[in-house]
Amino acid sequence: MGDWDHSVHARNGHGLFVALIGHTPVGEQELKAHIAGLGDIDALDRVTARMPGDFHVVVEAHGEIHARGTATGLRRLFYGTDGEVTIAANRADTLARILDAPLDEDVIALRLLDFVPHPLGDVPMWRGVQAVVPGDLVQFGRVRTRTARWWEPPHIHVPLPVGAEALREALDEAVRFRVDLAGTVSCDLSGGLDSTTVCALAAHSSSDKLPALTMPSRDPGDDDVHWARLAASEIDGLEHLLLGIEEIPLFYSGLLDVSGPVDEPLPTIIDQPRQLVGHDLLLGRGSQLHLTGMGGDHVLWGHPAHHRDLLTSRPLKALRSIRGYRAQNRWSLRETLAVLADRRPYGQWLADAAGDVTGPRPAPHSPDVFGWDIPPRLPVWATPDAVRSVRQSLREAARTAEPRGTTHALHNELHTLHHGTRATRILHQVAEHSGLPLASPFLDDRVVEACWSVRSEERATPWEFKPLLKAAMRGHIPDALLRRSTKGEASADAANGLRENRGRLAGLWRESRLAKLGLIDAERITDLTLQPSAPELRHGGLDATLACEIWLRTI
């Protein structure tokens, strides 16, 4: 079951039926040619592994069905049973309505955490709805319903120059076929490396002027607009659309106008008025698909934990990089050594984290990046019942929890990727309501594999920002952008939005769904909301709580 944007399907002479659903470059005749000689249901992976795009795969042979999303998690699957019938769907809320599944209040409590640790971030919001983990497929039909692994991260690691060429080719193909598929596209142009890369590749592939949208910030120190203008002036084929600052809603504006539904509460949804600004302008220019640079931060930022893993094989190289991270972030030697010396297995780390969810928050950019994860924390307005529920959930999960990868670095990279794809996936759902669907080529499986096939010590470094993408796009985007050393982050819009909207937010808490569930202290969060400079509010998990509150209202 699903709400599908594009699909192609075919059956061969051996009784094998295949459907590809989503952004795929092949048509029916091409798909028939690809599967003509296949008789084994598992053999399809060898065919789809070479295809760009992001799409679901459904295969049926002799009553047995295999279904999967993407390895990155941008396309997800969920399943459940109705009597003896197994139903799979691309959205958890779709499936919950079919099954009449009740909300799981313990999972809602978990979503109040600032970071939901693995494996609990993959747990759907409804009882009776199961998630297929990214990289797994679900099998059902004449076999007992079960999941199985179909994807693993690359095991071959090449030098950066070789990987850069592979990455540029993968990105170019990912963008080009979408331009061909949609006919008329638009793109974001934030002034950063990721969006500029997508714009440059799309402009090269498009026969028409490509609308490129830039959203300014109220932060006087944010120089994104300068870099966006520079890129637009040097990339041929762009029509640069720079919105006026008065057109940009502040953060926390229009929360009660947020439309839905989406199938999980992530802070992406509370930013909906900002994320959709300018879409009417793009639709007016005929855009059928909007290309974004989302996901670039998640797949190109090689995780610092790689250097922890290098300590045993290349200790001098690892120590030099660790010193670099220490200097950048002003970590004490004692704190850094404590994390590096921590040998707890993942399950023990998760169990210990359960007891500390109400403790002081770790400093931003702490040396915990060398460990399993950033320790999760609940906000000060979480009720004792919410705290008990979260601790119980974490401890139960800890009994059987295994890390996503065999090393700290691989676990962290997969966890970072899956968090990024969940947030992007929800934004894609939000954009569907505006009538302008999104595509995020950096989160294609083939693009991620190209990134992760590069030696970790060359793409994960404290000495340079995104060295792999810079090497891949040198000569294809303005040289000045490759030397940019700043990054906009819109903190002024967030601070101003919190101050300007404090009265509306306080009204939200007075009729809070979360309070009615017994998960937050409405009086405590209302008092803090009316003090928008309070550190417990600005740095205490407000966005996660707001996302849960607004999400409950949309469903």
Side-chain angles (χ1 to χ4, degrees):
M1 306 289 293
D3 183 6
W4 312 113
D5 46 5
H6 177 74
S7 67
V8 58
H9 53 86
R11 187 180 296 277
N12 70 9
H14 302 284
L16 189 73
F17 171 83
V18 178
L20 307 181
I21 307 167
H23 295 151
T24 171
V26 300
E28 182 178 337
Q29 295 307 313
E30 292 172 280
L31 182 59
K32 282 183 177 179
H34 280 307
I35 69 172
L38 298 183
D40 181 1
I41 197 170
D42 295 314
L44 184 69
D45 289 343
R46 295 195 297 272
V47 174
T48 58
R50 298 191 295 270
M51 293 181 185
D54 64 287
F55 47 87
H56 288 86
V57 179
V58 182
V59 193
E60 185 271 334
H62 313 297
E64 182 179 342
I65 298 171
H66 289 195
R68 61 171 172 83
T70 58
T72 66
L74 190 59
R75 301 268 177 175
R76 296 292 306 269
L77 274 177
F78 305 87
Y79 68 96
T81 57
D82 184 6
E84 296 183 359
V85 178
T86 296
I87 306 170
N90 69 332
R91 288 179 52 144
D93 55 344
T94 299
L95 188 56
R97 286 195 296 274
I98 295 169
L99 300 177
D100 196 22
L103 277 172
D104 191 330
E105 293 177 12
D106 292 326
V107 178
I108 299 174
L110 278 168
R111 295 307 184 96
L112 297 177
L113 289 165
D114 49 3
F115 302 101
V116 183
H118 165 74
L120 294 167
D122 280 324
V123 178
M125 307 301 296
W126 294 268
R127 292 187 175 92
V129 176
Q130 306 295 320
V132 180
V133 175
D136 280 10
L137 55 80
V138 62
Q139 305 171 351
F140 57 101
R142 62 181 177 80
V143 297
R144 180 179 57 85
T145 303
R146 60 181 181 267
T147 60
R149 198 74 182 157
W150 70 271
W151 182 85
E152 293 293 341
H155 297 295
I156 298 173
H157 297 105
V158 301
L160 187 138
V162 176
E165 182 64 23
L167 173 59
R168 190 191 62 77
E169 290 177 0
L171 278 170
D172 184 50
E173 191 172 17
V175 171
R176 187 174 63 251
F177 96 79
R178 286 180 168 96
V179 172
D180 293 341
L181 186 69
T184 305
V185 303
S186 54
C187 63
D188 283 329
L189 182 58
S190 71
L193 278 174
D194 306 336
S195 68
T196 304
T197 291
V198 173
C199 274
L201 295 173
H204 181 71
S205 299
S206 178
S207 58
D208 301 318
K209 276 280 188 179
L210 179 73
L213 185 71
T214 299
M215 185 172 72
S217 165
R218 292 170 176 83
D219 188 341
D222 188 333
D223 58 351
D224 276 354
V225 168
H226 163 76
W227 294 103
R229 282 177 168 150
L230 185 149
S233 69
E234 296 197 25
I235 297 172
D236 292 335
L238 292 185
E239 179 193 4
H240 191 205
L241 305 175
L242 177 60
L243 297 176
I245 194 66
E246 71 284 350
E247 299 178 73
I248 313 300
L250 287 167
F251 281 97
Y252 310 112
S253 298
L255 287 175
L256 294 179
D257 299 325
V258 168
S259 58
V262 296
D263 66 357
E264 62 174 313
L266 287 171
T268 313
I269 64 172
I270 65 174
D271 197 22
Q272 183 182 123
R274 288 172 59 87
Q275 295 288 359
L276 300 185
V277 70
H279 278 213
D280 287 344
L281 186 65
L282 299 172
L283 286 166
R285 280 165 168 74
S287 179
Q288 300 295 309
L289 184 68
H290 189 62
L291 304 175
T292 83
M294 290 183 295
D297 286 341
H298 299 88
V299 304
L300 292 162
W301 179 64
H303 203 279
H306 280 294
H307 298 283
R308 173 191 179 129
D309 297 337
L310 279 175
L311 281 170
T312 54
S313 58
R314 301 183 64 187
L316 293 179
K317 169 75 175 174
L319 287 170
R320 181 173 178 268
S321 295
I322 289 169
R323 285 182 63 192
Y325 286 115
R326 273 194 62 220
Q328 283 182 348
N329 297 285
R330 302 181 182 181
W331 298 332
S332 74
L333 180 61
R334 181 178 179 180
E335 290 175 316
T336 307
L337 289 176
V339 177
L340 292 172
D342 187 352
R343 292 292 182 265
R344 287 176 296 173
Y346 182 72
Q348 184 60 56
W349 176 88
L350 189 59
D352 293 343
D356 211 21
V357 291
T358 56
R361 291 179 182 274
H365 311 294
S366 76
D368 286 310
V369 295
F370 291 125
W372 286 119
D373 202 350
I374 306 299
R377 294 290 186 266
L378 280 168
V380 296
W381 49 81
T383 63
D385 284 346
V387 173
R388 279 192 292 272
S389 172
V390 167
R391 283 181 169 151
Q392 182 178 349
S393 295
L394 291 173
R395 286 168 178 152
E396 287 178 358
R399 296 191 185 106
T400 57
E402 296 291 339
R404 288 190 188 270
T406 53
T407 66
H408 285 77
L410 186 54
H411 165 81
N412 273 293
E413 284 207 317
L414 284 166
H415 189 53
T416 299
L417 171 66
H418 294 162
H419 177 76
T421 52
R422 282 171 51 214
T424 303
R425 175 177 171 271
I426 292 302
L427 186 55
H428 282 206
Q429 292 179 10
V430 165
E432 290 171 8
H433 301 300
S434 78
L436 181 58
L438 304 182
S440 302
F442 276 103
L443 294 174
D444 282 7
D445 289 354
R446 284 196 62 217
V447 173
V448 173
E449 287 172 349
C451 291
W452 288 4
S453 293
V454 175
R455 292 171 182 166
S456 60
E457 65 271 24
E458 294 190 65
R459 59 186 177 87
T461 170
W463 316 114
E464 190 176 1
F465 181 65
K466 297 182 180 176
L468 177 58
L469 185 60
K470 289 179 178 178
M473 295 306 295
R474 188 164 282 111
H476 299 275
I477 62 174
D479 286 343
L481 266 167
L482 300 177
R483 298 189 294 271
R484 183 183 177 186
S485 59
T486 59
K487 186 174 176 64
E489 41 84 47
S491 59
D493 285 30
N496 291 343
L498 199 53
R499 185 176 62 253
E500 293 291 329
N501 291 292
R502 61 186 182 274
R504 296 183 185 90
L505 291 176
L508 195 71
W509 305 128
R510 294 187 185 106
E511 299 177 357
S512 169
R513 308 294 200 274
L514 289 169
K516 289 176 183 176
L517 292 174
L519 298 177
I520 67 167
D521 182 335
E523 186 174 343
R524 182 79 183 275
I525 193 173
T526 300
D527 289 344
L528 286 170
T529 297
L530 296 173
Q531 308 169 51
S533 295
E536 299 97 329
L537 187 70
R538 292 190 61 192
H539 308 294
L542 174 64
D543 286 359
T545 302
L546 264 175
C548 290
E549 180 67 36
I550 296 301
W551 181 80
L552 284 170
R553 293 168 184 243
T554 64
I555 64 166

PDB file of all heavy atoms in Angstrom, residues 414-425:
ATOM      1  N   LEU A 414      26.452   5.457  10.076  1.00  0.00           N
ATOM      2  CA  LEU A 414      25.136   4.938   9.714  1.00  0.00           C
ATOM      3  C   LEU A 414      24.038   5.627  10.517  1.00  0.00           C
ATOM      4  O   LEU A 414      22.975   5.971   9.983  1.00  0.00           O
ATOM      5  CB  LEU A 414      25.090   3.424   9.938  1.00  0.00           C
ATOM      6  CG  LEU A 414      25.805   2.584   8.877  1.00  0.00           C
ATOM      7  CD1 LEU A 414      26.007   1.156   9.371  1.00  0.00           C
ATOM      8  CD2 LEU A 414      25.021   2.576   7.570  1.00  0.00           C
ATOM      9  N   HIS A 415      24.301   5.856  11.802  1.00  0.00           N
ATOM     10  CA  HIS A 415      23.307   6.520  12.638  1.00  0.00           C
ATOM     11  C   HIS A 415      23.071   7.955  12.159  1.00  0.00           C
ATOM     12  O   HIS A 415      21.926   8.425  12.069  1.00  0.00           O
ATOM     13  CB  HIS A 415      23.771   6.514  14.094  1.00  0.00           C
ATOM     14  CG  HIS A 415      22.729   6.972  15.069  1.00  0.00           C
ATOM     15  ND1 HIS A 415      21.471   6.428  15.116  1.00  0.00           N
ATOM     16  CD2 HIS A 415      22.749   7.935  16.028  1.00  0.00           C
ATOM     17  CE1 HIS A 415      20.757   7.022  16.074  1.00  0.00           C
ATOM     18  NE2 HIS A 415      21.514   7.949  16.630  1.00  0.00           N
ATOM     19  N   THR A 416      24.163   8.665  11.816  1.00  0.00           N
ATOM     20  CA  THR A 416      24.047  10.027  11.292  1.00  0.00           C
ATOM     21  C   THR A 416      23.292  10.041   9.970  1.00  0.00           C
ATOM     22  O   THR A 416      22.414  10.886   9.736  1.00  0.00           O
ATOM     23  CB  THR A 416      25.447  10.639  11.103  1.00  0.00           C
ATOM     24  OG1 THR A 416      26.117  10.693  12.361  1.00  0.00           O
ATOM     25  CG2 THR A 416      25.362  12.043  10.521  1.00  0.00           C
ATOM     26  N   LEU A 417      23.619   9.093   9.099  1.00  0.00           N
ATOM     27  CA  LEU A 417      22.931   8.997   7.808  1.00  0.00           C
ATOM     28  C   LEU A 417      21.438   8.759   8.008  1.00  0.00           C
ATOM     29  O   LEU A 417      20.593   9.439   7.402  1.00  0.00           O
ATOM     30  CB  LEU A 417      23.537   7.870   6.975  1.00  0.00           C
ATOM     31  CG  LEU A 417      22.774   7.503   5.691  1.00  0.00           C
ATOM     32  CD1 LEU A 417      22.812   8.658   4.701  1.00  0.00           C
ATOM     33  CD2 LEU A 417      23.354   6.238   5.069  1.00  0.00           C
ATOM     34  N   HIS A 418      21.093   7.800   8.850  1.00  0.00           N
ATOM     35  CA  HIS A 418      19.683   7.454   9.019  1.00  0.00           C
ATOM     36  C   HIS A 418      18.905   8.582   9.692  1.00  0.00           C
ATOM     37  O   HIS A 418      17.729   8.811   9.377  1.00  0.00           O
ATOM     38  CB  HIS A 418      19.553   6.158   9.807  1.00  0.00           C
ATOM     39  CG  HIS A 418      20.097   4.972   9.073  1.00  0.00           C
ATOM     40  ND1 HIS A 418      20.429   3.789   9.701  1.00  0.00           N
ATOM     41  CD2 HIS A 418      20.402   4.792   7.757  1.00  0.00           C
ATOM     42  CE1 HIS A 418      20.889   2.934   8.795  1.00  0.00           C
ATOM     43  NE2 HIS A 418      20.876   3.525   7.626  1.00  0.00           N
ATOM     44  N   HIS A 419      19.543   9.308  10.604  1.00  0.00           N
ATOM     45  CA  HIS A 419      18.870  10.470  11.190  1.00  0.00           C
ATOM     46  C   HIS A 419      18.623  11.523  10.108  1.00  0.00           C
ATOM     47  O   HIS A 419      17.537  12.117  10.036  1.00  0.00           O
ATOM     48  CB  HIS A 419      19.707  11.077  12.315  1.00  0.00           C
ATOM     49  CG  HIS A 419      19.100  12.316  12.893  1.00  0.00           C
ATOM     50  ND1 HIS A 419      18.027  12.287  13.755  1.00  0.00           N
ATOM     51  CD2 HIS A 419      19.393  13.632  12.694  1.00  0.00           C
ATOM     52  CE1 HIS A 419      17.680  13.521  14.073  1.00  0.00           C
ATOM     53  NE2 HIS A 419      18.494  14.359  13.452  1.00  0.00           N
ATOM     54  N   GLY A 420      19.616  11.729   9.244  1.00  0.00           N
ATOM     55  CA  GLY A 420      19.461  12.705   8.166  1.00  0.00           C
ATOM     56  C   GLY A 420      18.384  12.319   7.173  1.00  0.00           C
ATOM     57  O   GLY A 420      17.606  13.174   6.721  1.00  0.00           O
ATOM     58  N   THR A 421      18.316  11.042   6.832  1.00  0.00           N
ATOM     59  CA  THR A 421      17.293  10.620   5.869  1.00  0.00           C
ATOM     60  C   THR A 421      15.898  10.672   6.489  1.00  0.00           C
ATOM     61  O   THR A 421      14.920  10.976   5.792  1.00  0.00           O
ATOM     62  CB  THR A 421      17.569   9.212   5.321  1.00  0.00           C
ATOM     63  OG1 THR A 421      17.777   8.299   6.410  1.00  0.00           O
ATOM     64  CG2 THR A 421      18.790   9.197   4.431  1.00  0.00           C
ATOM     65  N   ARG A 422      15.784  10.407   7.787  1.00  0.00           N
ATOM     66  CA  ARG A 422      14.471  10.527   8.430  1.00  0.00           C
ATOM     67  C   ARG A 422      13.986  11.970   8.385  1.00  0.00           C
ATOM     68  O   ARG A 422      12.824  12.235   8.040  1.00  0.00           O
ATOM     69  CB  ARG A 422      14.548  10.045   9.878  1.00  0.00           C
ATOM     70  CG  ARG A 422      14.552   8.534  10.027  1.00  0.00           C
ATOM     71  CD  ARG A 422      14.847   8.112  11.447  1.00  0.00           C
ATOM     72  NE  ARG A 422      13.994   8.796  12.396  1.00  0.00           N
ATOM     73  CZ  ARG A 422      14.389   9.146  13.630  1.00  0.00           C
ATOM     74  NH1 ARG A 422      15.621   8.900  14.024  1.00  0.00           N
ATOM     75  NH2 ARG A 422      13.545   9.750  14.436  1.00  0.00           N
ATOM     76  N   ALA A 423      14.873  12.924   8.707  1.00  0.00           N
ATOM     77  CA  ALA A 423      14.480  14.331   8.685  1.00  0.00           C
ATOM     78  C   ALA A 423      14.153  14.783   7.263  1.00  0.00           C
ATOM     79  O   ALA A 423      13.164  15.496   7.034  1.00  0.00           O
ATOM     80  CB  ALA A 423      15.595  15.192   9.273  1.00  0.00           C
ATOM     81  N   THR A 424      14.955  14.362   6.294  1.00  0.00           N
ATOM     82  CA  THR A 424      14.723  14.745   4.900  1.00  0.00           C
ATOM     83  C   THR A 424      13.449  14.114   4.372  1.00  0.00           C
ATOM     84  O   THR A 424      12.662  14.751   3.654  1.00  0.00           O
ATOM     85  CB  THR A 424      15.920  14.336   4.029  1.00  0.00           C
ATOM     86  OG1 THR A 424      17.107  14.931   4.560  1.00  0.00           O
ATOM     87  CG2 THR A 424      15.740  14.782   2.589  1.00  0.00           C
ATOM     88  N   ARG A 425      13.230  12.853   4.729  1.00  0.00           N
ATOM     89  CA  ARG A 425      12.018  12.146   4.292  1.00  0.00           C
ATOM     90  C   ARG A 425      10.762  12.866   4.780  1.00  0.00           C
ATOM     91  O   ARG A 425       9.783  13.016   4.025  1.00  0.00           O
ATOM     92  CB  ARG A 425      12.070  10.713   4.835  1.00  0.00           C
ATOM     93  CG  ARG A 425      10.845   9.865   4.583  1.00  0.00           C
ATOM     94  CD  ARG A 425      11.065   8.458   5.120  1.00  0.00           C
ATOM     95  NE  ARG A 425       9.820   7.707   5.081  1.00  0.00           N
ATOM     96  CZ  ARG A 425       8.924   7.673   6.063  1.00  0.00           C
ATOM     97  NH1 ARG A 425       9.157   8.353   7.178  1.00  0.00           N
ATOM     98  NH2 ARG A 425       7.817   6.981   5.946  1.00  0.00           N
TER      99      ARG A 425
END
